[in-house]
Structure formats: structure tokens, C-alpha cells
Amino acid sequence: MISQGWAGWGDKDTFLIALRSLRQDYYMVPHKLKTLFINGTNHGIGMLQADPSKPASYEPMFLHSNIIKWSIRGFLCEGCADQAIDPVAVSAFENPKSPIHTHLKEHRRIFSLKDMLAMNVDPEPSIWRSFEHVACRSYWQDERLCNRTREHMEQTFGFHFQKSWSPPIIGGGGEQICLRTM
């Protein structure tokens, strides 16, 4: 979606230059991307990119998590990596230097709800639903990670779960057990 006035040259810019050189038509999204910040900080966490099919108004289409990658293992896994061997692989839950460590420990939102509502979008609860599915009901399920994920969802977003941990289901899947209130 082209660099949209930001410093740097990459594949997006290469395509623009190539298309202009070949005198080919191209389209640029008329809306700048919006930077997302970690709740209560000035630390960027990603970008919301606009829907190119709606040039008249800004409508978010894509969340590009380019600073902190969203993954259940990277957020809440405890004991998944040895800090002495691979400090980068230690989860944000375990790493006090992570900009989202306190948010996870204190069950706070990662994105600012005020910012999300101003942009008419709130992807965070949906992302956590995906995390819960992976941690609790997929091939990679793990009881401790599942319990930690559900605790965060309950205390942060008001989710409720009908039952606790269940034994692994061959092939993943399982019944829908997550209920959302609010």
C-alpha cells in the first residue's frame, strides 16, 4: 500500500516505480494508515490499514502487527524458552522488559479502547478468542496456557467459560465453550 509518505523504500515502492516506468495504471489508497499504540503508552504496536474499496471514508480493513507479533506462545507461555539461551523467545508474560508485560500480568487491554472506538473497530477480543482456541481446543492445546488465556479473557474483557479444561480432542475442534458478556 505504498509507503504513504513514510521514510523507507521496499517492495511496495519498487512496484510503484516499476508501474510508473512502464506507464501502467495503479491505485493508491487515499487514506493514511493509523498507528496503534500500547494502552497507556506511546509505544507503537501496529498499523491499521484502510479498505481500498472505500475511498470516501476511512474504514479499517487490516491490522498489521509489525512491532509486537501477536501469538499465544509469545504472549502467555510460561517456561517455553530459557532466557539464558534465547532471551528473545521468552514470552511477554515472563519478560519484565516487554512493553506489554504489565498489561498481561494485570489483565489490561493491549490496545487502547478509546483509540479503537474512535476508529470504529476493536480487534482485540477477537484475537484473544483465537488464542483461546489454540491454547484450549486445538492440536497445540496446553492446560496451563489454556487456563492463563481464559483468566486473562475473563478479567480483561468479561468473557465467561462454561467449563474448565477438557482432555485433548483428536484433531482439535471441540465444542464452543466461550461466552461473551457486555
Side-chain angles (χ1 to χ4, degrees):
M1 305 233 173
I2 314 304
S3 63
Q4 298 179 341
W6 294 95
W9 292 87
D11 58 348
K12 301 173 297 302
D13 307 291
T14 304
F15 286 118
L16 173 62
I17 292 167
L19 291 168
R20 289 180 98 176
S21 297
L22 295 170
R23 294 186 172 93
Q24 296 293 312
D25 291 336
Y26 62 91
Y27 175 78
M28 286 182 55
V29 178
H31 308 286
K32 291 185 177 186
L33 50 88
K34 303 213 181 209
T35 302
L36 300 179
F37 296 93
I38 296 172
N39 191 12
T41 75
N42 62 355
H43 295 277
I45 191 169
M47 306 178 291
L48 271 180
Q49 294 175 325
D51 186 341
S53 70
K54 308 216 166 116
S57 64
Y58 180 91
E59 275 191 45
M61 179 186 81
F62 180 75
L63 168 61
H64 184 178
S65 297
N66 59 337
I67 298 172
I68 294 178
K69 299 297 183 185
W70 288 69
S71 77
I72 188 63
R73 186 191 180 286
F75 274 31
L76 292 178
C77 196
E78 196 167 24
C80 294
D82 185 339
Q83 180 130 9
I85 296 170
D86 188 1
V88 175
V90 173
S91 75
F93 185 78
E94 296 176 293
N95 181 1
K97 293 181 182 176
S98 167
I100 61 170
H101 173 77
T102 305
H103 294 74
L104 296 171
K105 287 286 193 175
E106 295 177 1
H107 303 293
R108 295 182 4 221
R109 296 177 65 91
I110 306 297
F111 294 134
S112 162
L113 182 59
K114 179 180 147 206
D115 292 347
M116 294 295 98
L117 293 177
M119 291 183 253
N120 199 29
V121 64
D122 186 12
E124 193 168 349
S126 297
I127 294 169
W128 282 97
R129 277 182 180 254
S130 297
F131 283 0
E132 190 272 340
H133 179 83
V134 171
C136 305
R137 297 178 281 128
S138 76
Y139 178 79
W140 296 280
Q141 62 189 319
D142 175 84
E143 184 175 5
R144 288 185 338 173
L145 190 54
C146 175
N147 290 336
R148 193 171 302 115
T149 302
R150 288 178 174 174
E151 177 185 351
H152 184 78
M153 291 173 70
E154 288 170 346
Q155 293 188 26
T156 307
F157 303 104
F159 283 98
H160 296 284
F161 296 91
Q162 291 178 334
K163 58 168 111 170
S164 59
W165 176 257
S166 58
I169 299 164
I170 304 295
E175 61 186 290
Q176 180 65 20
I177 55 176
C178 177
L179 303 174
R180 175 103 193 258
T181 60
M182 291 173 90

